Amino acid sequence: MYKKKPFFIVFEGVEGCGKSYQSKKLYNKLKKKKIDTILTREPGGTKSSELIRNLILKDYFAKDSKEKFDKYTDTLLYLAARNEHIKNKIKPALLKKKVVICDRFIDSTIAYQVYGKKVELNFIKNIHKRILHGIKPNIVFVLKVSKQTSRKRLIKRKTKNRYDNFAQSFYNKAQNSFIRIAKNKKNYFILDSSNNDNFLEQKIYDVCQKYLNIK
Ligand code: TMP
């Protein structure tokens, strides 16, 4: 039988991997089971974090490339958004024993800023020590996608953001980074999301059902 407890589920993966779609599907399934659940995302999730998100994503479209944010400014903005998000949304929800589903979290910073942009890991670790309040995901789904499928999904997108335009090599690197982070961790599930079928959403639900003891 399901017993209310704080539970933090994160979806990670490159653009076009379907994590926003899958997190919504899971959210709807848990709600149907009357499980107190919130769905949120990073960067974003609160009014202030969404403002920071806009700032980060807008920067990419700035015409003058000389005026772009330095990679440490960029990183600090992601972390600033995370601080607001944890303090005002994630932590309060977990304290109320809710299930929190988050579209991206700290592994995105490791994959994109550390592995991708070569930002110092210790710089991020030190800030995380102060802002995470010991909060760690209970389970992480890393969605792996083929180049072809991710491309197809991104072309269909109406609103593009900075990373939607990056070169294929950047995606490959980011995807490999996510897989590297997930390897040998018991609570990480690397799942292929290249096919557009219902199989994946069922698989994700099955894992959650087991962890949450849902009948
Ligand atoms: P989204 O595409 O999932 O909406 O996220 C917006 C972009 O932000 C995405 O392309 C990846 C990037 N990102 C980072 O570079 N570092 C981070 O820490 C997070 C949370 C996202």
Side-chain angles (χ1 to χ4, degrees):
M1 258 292 281
Y2 172 69
K3 195 171 170 280
K4 215 172 174 203
K5 63 175 178 185
F7 201 76
F8 189 19
I9 303 166
V10 170
F11 282 85
E12 297 278 13
V14 293
E15 293 65 16
C17 74
K19 59 185 175 37
S20 306
Y21 176 82
Q22 291 298 338
S23 47
K24 254 182 233 144
K25 286 280 173 189
L26 178 63
Y27 172 75
N28 290 335
K29 277 200 172 134
L30 295 177
K31 286 300 252 190
K32 237 183 173 171
K33 290 275 175 185
K34 306 261 181 294
I35 293 170
D36 206 352
T37 308
I38 65 160
L39 173 62
T40 189
R41 69 169 178 181
E42 287 215 349
T46 68
K47 207 173 165 192
S48 51
S49 313
E50 290 289 334
L51 284 173
I52 301 170
R53 178 192 175 92
N54 286 342
L55 202 63
I56 300 171
L57 300 182
K58 229 194 247 162
D59 174 59
Y60 180 73
F61 292 109
K63 293 233 163 41
D64 186 354
S65 59
K66 280 185 216 133
E67 282 291 324
K68 284 204 183 302
F69 288 145
D70 172 75
K71 64 182 180 185
Y72 279 88
T73 308
D74 210 40
T75 305
L76 284 165
L77 287 171
Y78 282 114
L79 296 172
R82 180 161 301 141
N83 185 40
E84 289 295 309
H85 190 210
I86 291 174
K87 194 165 174 263
N88 299 316
K89 195 164 184 182
I90 296 180
K91 197 176 175 192
L94 291 173
L95 284 173
K96 286 185 193 145
K97 298 188 176 171
K98 293 187 187 198
V99 173
V100 176
I101 304 172
C102 194
D103 182 343
R104 296 195 185 280
F105 196 55
I106 56 174
D107 295 332
S108 282
T109 320
I110 307 301
Y112 291 100
Q113 276 66 51
V114 177
Y115 293 143
K117 297 285 170 73
K118 308 288 171 222
V119 168
E120 257 176 58
L121 177 61
N122 276 337
F123 174 80
I124 292 166
K125 272 193 176 166
N126 279 330
I127 296 172
H128 273 161
K129 247 184 240 161
R130 180 65 188 80
I131 68 171
L132 291 182
H133 301 267
I135 290 170
K136 279 191 229 144
N138 294 88
I139 46 181
V140 180
F141 293 106
V142 173
L143 304 189
K144 220 175 86 178
V145 68
S146 68
K147 283 177 211 167
Q148 293 81 353
T149 308
S150 110
R151 273 275 166 244
K152 265 191 215 151
R153 288 178 185 155
L154 293 178
I155 288 166
K156 276 195 203 149
R157 265 190 205 175
K158 280 190 209 95
T159 47
K160 300 222 185 290
N161 72 39
R162 57 191 303 187
Y163 294 99
D164 293 343
N165 298 326
F166 275 162
Q168 192 64 55
S169 63
F170 189 86
Y171 292 121
N172 295 346
K173 208 167 150 191
Q175 179 147 293
N176 289 338
S177 306
F178 279 120
I179 293 167
R180 207 161 120 195
I181 294 165
K183 263 211 174 125
N184 302 322
K185 294 202 180 101
K186 269 203 289 201
N187 60 332
Y188 278 64
F189 298 85
I190 305 170
L191 301 172
D192 200 306
S193 67
S194 306
N195 297 324
N196 295 315
D197 54 30
N198 297 334
F199 183 68
L200 180 60
E201 60 182 89
Q202 191 54 46
K203 204 163 178 180
I204 290 169
Y205 182 70
D206 289 347
V207 172
C208 295
Q209 191 176 30
K210 204 171 127 220
Y211 270 80
L212 287 164
N213 206 10
I214 306 167
K215 290 287 169 262

